[in-house]
Amino acid sequence: MTTTPAAETVPTAAALALGDDALVLSHRLGEWAGHAPVLEEEVALANIALDLLGQARVLLSTAGDEDELAFRREERAFRNCQLVEQPNGDFAHTIARQLFFSTYQHLLHDRLASGDGPFAPLAGKAVKEAAYHRDHAEQWTLRLGDGTDESHSRTQRAVDALWRYTGELFQPVEGLDEVDWAGLERTWLELVTDVLGRATLTVPEGPRTGAWSAGAGRQGLHTEPFGRMLAEMQHLHRSHPGATW
């Protein structure tokens, strides 16, 4: 059972950032329904999406009305990182995105769960889910990277394309002052480099931070695909306000 932290003790900015990450990535993974390469993988991606949706509901409900926050906010009000809003692309693209994010989320929740802050109860549950998400992404990265020439080539292209979005993951989030972001990033780099190496993939040389990198989602600036995704996600609620099943 998910333990909901007391809303009055939770920093709103942090709840929105973490909740929006989970909500947006959940929707992206849900887009694979009916399109996954094999039936078993369709179930796995759906389960990961549901885990993330559960996390999003807990976090957004501490910041306000979860439905209003999910379906009535404008694009600039979302605080998710730009990595999670990137389109699914091919399967290798989805797996690379998942490897980068789930490794980050596992490390972050592990840190939050070990503390006594307001996010500790949620993180204590979410860290177990994130560990499964990370293992799933790692296993697929190894299979694709060290698989056929085609799968290796596609996975390397995906890693190269998404690398520029990973620096934003380690920008300090207001309300999560107990997190050592620089230390978190060092550990993330070590873990991701290890997985990519075992998958016979090359760690990109491109920038992860600075003028040539991407990442201002925490400040409300999002990439073009996010607007289209948001329109689809909010369409039903906005078209039929107040509707119930």
Side-chain angles (χ1 to χ4, degrees):
M1 182 177 72
T2 302
T3 304
T4 305
E8 63 273 13
T9 67
V10 174
T12 299
L16 287 177
L18 302 186
D20 287 348
D21 281 351
L23 175 68
V24 172
L25 186 55
S26 171
H27 187 85
R28 280 298 190 206
L29 292 175
E31 292 174 348
W32 274 105
H35 302 283
V38 293
L39 185 59
E40 183 179 8
E41 191 53 25
E42 182 147 323
V43 174
L45 292 175
N47 282 333
I48 294 172
L50 287 173
D51 287 343
L52 292 168
L53 185 61
Q55 295 171 21
R57 292 194 62 191
V58 173
L59 287 160
L60 295 182
S61 65
T62 66
D65 183 295
E66 62 183 63
D67 290 326
E68 287 289 315
L69 289 170
F71 298 126
R72 297 297 297 272
R73 270 186 299 166
E74 302 294 334
E75 179 178 332
R76 292 290 296 268
F78 277 79
R79 292 295 179 264
N80 56 279
C81 62
Q82 291 184 354
L83 175 66
V84 298
E85 70 194 39
Q86 296 310 302
N88 288 328
D90 62 17
F91 187 63
H93 217 88
T94 291
I95 290 301
R97 186 186 63 201
Q98 203 62 25
L99 174 69
F100 294 158
F101 183 78
S102 61
T103 302
Y104 151 79
Q105 196 189 42
H106 185 214
L107 292 171
L108 177 61
H109 284 317
D110 186 54
R111 173 66 186 86
L112 294 175
S114 66
D116 55 1
F119 291 102
L122 167 70
K125 178 179 184 296
V127 70
K128 300 171 186 173
E129 298 171 343
Y132 162 70
H133 302 169
R134 176 181 156 195
D135 181 67
H136 174 268
E138 285 188 6
Q139 295 307 314
W140 268 110
T141 301
L142 296 175
R143 291 171 67 181
L144 296 174
D146 198 21
T148 66
D149 290 344
E150 178 71 12
S151 69
H152 175 90
S153 175
R154 288 189 178 211
T155 308
Q156 186 65 62
R157 284 202 298 271
V159 167
D160 292 344
L162 293 172
W163 192 248
R164 61 196 293 263
Y165 294 98
T166 59
E168 185 185 13
L169 297 173
F170 305 99
Q171 292 178 5
V173 174
E174 181 184 345
L176 297 182
D177 301 330
E178 72 270 40
V179 177
D180 173 9
W181 295 99
L184 206 69
E185 183 171 17
R186 283 194 298 274
T187 306
W188 181 91
L189 268 174
E190 291 171 1
L191 294 172
V192 168
T193 298
D194 175 67
V195 174
L196 295 182
R198 286 189 286 126
T200 72
L201 296 165
T202 302
V203 177
E205 295 181 354
R208 298 176 51 251
T209 58
W212 296 103
S213 67
R218 301 287 192 226
Q219 291 77 48
L221 299 178
H222 298 283
T223 55
E224 184 178 349
F226 183 60
R228 294 193 292 273
M229 192 214 86
L230 202 60
E232 178 181 335
M233 189 178 82
Q234 296 181 336
H235 168 70
L236 186 63
H237 186 90
R238 287 179 179 269
S239 299
H240 305 280
T244 58
W245 292 103

